[in-house]
Amino acid sequence: MATSTMPRGWRLAGRYTLLIVLTIVVLFPIWVMLVGALKPGNKVLQDPLLPTHVTFDTLREAWRDGNLGRALVNSTIVALIVTVAQVVTAVLSAYAFAFLRFPGRTFVFGVFLATLLVPFEATVVVNRSTVQDLGWLNSYQGLAVPFLATAFGTFLVRQVFLTLPKDLREAARMDGLGHLGFLREVAVPLARPTLGALALFGFLSTWNQYLWPTTISTDDDWNTVQSGLRALAQAQIDKPNLVIAGTVIVALPIFVILLVFQRQLVRGLTAGAVKG
Amino acid sequence: MTRDAASRRRWRDAPLALAMLAPSLIVLGAFVLYPLARAFWLGHQRCDPTGANCRSNGWDQYLDVFRSEEFQQAFGVTFRFAVLTVPVGLALGVGLAVLADKQLRGMGFFRTVFSSTVATSVAVASLMWFFLLNPSVGVLADWIGGVAKNPGLLQDEDTALWAVAISSIWANLGFTFIVVTAGLQSIPADLYESAYVDGASGWMRFTNVTLPMLGPTLLFAGVVLTSRAFQSYGEFDLLTGGGPNGSTTSLTYLVYGNNSIIKNNSGLQAAVAVLLFAVLLVLSLAQIRGVERRVHYGN
């Protein structure tokens, strides 16, 4: 150790101690939430850090009061529709930009680029009345349709398509593959890791949407998990541990999904994902 | 080649291209470009307080809104929120990522823990902190005492924005950690080796190798966090409802919040939304420049 006066063992121990302390700090809110959700309402002030008086009644009550079963179904359906649609629209439009020659390509690409500069928060005022005029308040269409395509997805997939060698397209043409055949047999399989990241990212950002569902779901039956949680929090403001039990129910599925798909998530976030 | 043949080639792919672009163009046109243009138009209309009888009367409503006390207060709140959350969030993310970066036993576990808050939606994270800070049952409120018990950190005008900021920093920590960790892993190991051979201490290696090499990553993460801070809505809606006394009424809350004074005035809402767009446009352009730099100088 030419550069340090401290022995290596001590430094390692210091690093691990710090890591453990920080782990406790980061996980602290999650732990308090879990403990709170497992207590009956009249014991919420007792041992807030320890799982005593464990009961599932609070979770059950939150599930019922918040109509969370229905909200989970709604969120799943909407997120799946949006995910599939985003991948499909991204692949199609990216293919057109990467492999097809047509007049005005640069201009249309510029239009796509411009939509990235518009924050969703600035368009909700008008989108709400559009959806209302279409009669789509409280519906799956209303929750999903504004998000069926994103310029972000188009860019991400186009980047991958542009890295494919030109010879590949030529060889495929020799083999008699048209554009659609080439797209299906060659381009999409080669872009699969990126498409996986895009899919996970689309699913997560749809699942986590807050402003949109709270704006257009006015009926309890059309809440997503996020707007359902908001409704529960506002209706049961005097029962903090009922609300926190609802929070656990909403948080749990996403924690599990992310543990499984960690790698895709890292790829999606570091690719320049901006919507949270 | 004759000009005819060239022109035919130019147009040959056009029908297929149109078919492939149409779904995206329709969605982006109807739900991104049209609403922006429409909001721009609505924003100049003067409506009565119930949102009825809107009429065009020049474009000076934008100036009025921009000069109004409510807009300036909301802009100040939003700006302070970004200043409170972004630098601290970045520093914490870098600290955690550097600590967990070594190839040592158990680092996979620590990485999963530090990434974990990325799984929390704004509603989940906000309600966790609402529970922790609840003046009657919250653990943190008990530990802190004083103003945290009465009236509560989220209920006091001087502390509410700080409390919301802490919740937001925690919720964004996972994102920052993941991005910075990826940035660290793209730094070539031989840079550290030569610094080590030159006798640089751990801290010197951090300031002379790690931080400069992380530059593009930090710029990217910083701009994303800043634009998120400017777009934050759920935190304010759930934790404070814009209160107390407007101390947490952000620009987004001014447009969409239940307690906002312009709640029913679509003209004013559209005007504030357009001004929010203008603010974020500046940030987005900074981000594009940042991403370009990332492409040029990054790994």
Side-chain angles (χ1 to χ4, degrees):
Chain A
M1 299 304 304
T3 58
S4 170
T5 50
M6 250 194 291
R8 193 177 142 73
W10 282 102
R11 299 222 329 221
L12 212 56
R15 181 185 283 253
Y16 275 109
T17 311
L18 203 52
L19 281 168
I20 290 166
V21 170
L22 290 168
T23 297
I24 293 170
V25 172
V26 170
L27 292 184
F28 176 74
I30 298 173
W31 174 252
V32 173
M33 164 180 79
L34 289 173
V35 170
L38 291 173
K39 281 188 199 302
N42 55 356
K43 294 282 192 288
V44 70
L45 286 166
Q46 263 174 286
D47 312 318
L49 295 177
L50 297 171
T52 54
H53 308 95
V54 169
T55 171
F56 289 102
D57 289 351
T58 317
L59 285 165
R60 224 170 275 137
E61 201 183 331
W63 177 269
R64 205 183 46 234
D65 280 14
N67 203 2
L68 292 180
R70 172 78 195 224
L72 277 167
V73 172
N74 289 346
S75 278
T76 308
I77 290 175
V78 172
L80 284 178
I81 293 174
V82 171
T83 304
V84 172
Q86 279 189 3
V87 171
V88 171
T89 54
V91 164
L92 290 177
S93 53
Y95 190 89
F97 285 128
F99 290 106
L100 300 181
R101 300 177 46 171
F102 54 94
R105 187 169 74 171
T106 316
F107 173 75
V108 180
F109 193 65
V111 172
F112 271 63
L113 184 78
T115 66
L116 280 179
L117 301 176
V118 183
F120 185 68
E121 281 72 11
T123 59
V124 170
V125 176
V126 177
N127 281 342
R128 186 191 190 280
S129 56
T130 305
V131 163
Q132 188 168 19
D133 292 344
L134 290 166
W136 288 354
L137 292 182
N138 300 309
S139 74
Y140 289 131
Q141 307 90 286
L143 287 166
V145 169
F147 311 101
L148 296 185
T150 64
F152 169 69
T154 304
F155 285 119
L156 206 60
V157 181
R158 174 179 167 272
Q159 282 315 108
V160 181
F161 284 171
L162 287 179
T163 63
L164 302 182
K166 285 272 170 286
D167 305 351
L168 219 53
R169 175 73 196 106
E170 281 311 309
R173 205 203 309 270
M174 300 294 179
D175 288 348
L177 273 184
H179 279 296
L180 291 179
F182 178 69
L183 175 65
R184 197 175 52 236
E185 308 288 333
V186 183
V188 165
L190 286 173
R192 190 163 290 157
T194 300
L195 297 183
L198 179 65
L200 180 70
F201 191 72
F203 187 91
L204 268 188
S205 45
T206 311
W207 184 278
N208 285 343
Q209 253 160 19
Y210 181 85
L211 177 58
W212 185 244
T214 56
T215 304
I216 70 151
S217 295
T218 53
D219 181 329
D220 198 36
D221 273 343
W222 293 98
N223 274 331
T224 64
V225 283
Q226 313 299 339
S227 63
L229 199 50
R230 177 182 191 262
L232 180 69
Q234 293 190 332
Q236 305 289 352
I237 192 139
D238 302 327
K239 294 185 179 169
N241 72 323
L242 189 64
V243 175
I244 211 66
T247 310
V248 170
I249 294 170
V250 170
L252 219 54
I254 286 298
F255 270 101
V256 174
I257 289 178
L258 282 191
L259 275 181
V260 177
F261 291 108
Q262 246 174 8
R263 187 169 306 161
Q264 281 83 353
L265 179 77
V266 171
R267 192 193 292 266
L269 288 179
T270 51
V274 286
K275 299 278 162 84
Chain B
M1 202 189 305
T2 65
R3 275 186 57 190
D4 252 17
S7 153
R8 227 179 298 127
R9 255 183 83 133
R10 220 164 92 80
W11 285 93
R12 197 183 51 200
D13 289 342
L16 181 60
L18 185 64
M20 289 179 130
L21 289 172
S24 295
L25 281 175
I26 292 170
V27 173
L28 295 176
F31 293 100
V32 182
L33 297 176
Y34 161 73
L36 185 68
R38 175 92 183 133
F40 195 66
W41 173 254
L42 287 176
H44 91 291
Q45 295 192 324
R46 306 244 177 208
C47 310
D48 59 27
T50 57
N53 300 320
C54 297
R55 65 201 179 281
S56 297
N57 189 10
W59 289 82
D60 54 346
Q61 175 157 267
Y62 279 104
L63 266 183
D64 290 352
V65 168
F66 191 76
R67 290 196 194 117
S68 70
E69 204 178 305
E70 289 80 7
F71 179 84
Q72 301 212 338
Q73 190 188 6
F75 184 82
V77 166
T78 310
F79 186 78
R80 280 205 303 281
F81 184 67
V83 171
L84 287 175
T85 53
V86 178
V88 177
L90 269 184
L92 287 175
V94 171
L96 291 179
V98 168
L99 271 177
D101 185 46
K102 284 267 166 63
Q103 294 298 324
L104 297 171
R105 257 174 120 72
M107 287 304 157
F109 168 77
F110 292 117
R111 282 196 190 141
T112 304
V113 168
F114 297 151
S115 312
S116 67
T117 73
V118 82
T120 58
S121 68
V122 61
V124 166
S126 300
L127 289 176
M128 279 184 194
W129 284 87
F130 193 73
F131 189 61
L132 285 169
L133 295 173
N134 185 312
S136 56
V137 303
V139 184
L140 273 188
D142 259 0
W143 289 353
I144 298 167
V147 66
K149 291 298 282 180
N150 186 22
L153 292 182
L154 292 164
Q155 287 75 24
D156 186 282
E157 206 175 312
D158 295 327
T159 54
L161 194 64
W162 287 83
V164 178
I166 289 170
S167 152
S168 170
I169 289 170
W170 181 85
N172 280 315
L173 201 53
F175 163 78
T176 318
F177 175 80
I178 290 173
V179 170
V180 176
T181 297
L184 284 177
Q185 285 167 352
S186 69
I187 300 177
D190 49 353
L191 280 183
Y192 287 108
E193 276 157 28
S194 45
Y196 190 81
V197 170
D198 290 347
S201 68
W203 176 252
M204 282 167 70
R205 288 199 297 273
F206 177 72
T207 52
N208 292 335
V209 180
T210 312
L211 275 186
M213 291 302 288
L214 272 184
T217 305
L218 292 181
L219 187 68
F220 167 71
V223 176
V224 171
L225 289 178
T226 310
S227 79
R228 276 192 194 181
F230 272 84
Q231 294 174 70
S232 290
Y233 171 75
E235 297 88 328
F236 300 112
D237 185 41
L238 285 167
L239 286 171
T240 59
N245 200 12
S247 60
T248 60
T249 296
S250 63
L251 286 174
T252 51
Y253 197 85
L254 186 62
V255 184
Y256 300 110
N258 261 343
N259 306 324
S260 169
I261 51 160
I262 62 168
K263 190 186 168 205
N264 294 315
N265 191 324
S266 57
L268 286 176
Q269 283 181 314
V272 179
V274 168
L275 291 173
L276 176 69
F277 161 69
V279 171
L280 280 159
L281 186 63
V282 175
L283 289 172
S284 300
L285 293 175
Q287 176 176 8
I288 288 176
R289 293 193 55 181
V291 171
E292 274 171 4
R293 276 185 57 177
R294 213 164 97 95
V295 173
H296 290 314
Y297 306 123
N299 54 325

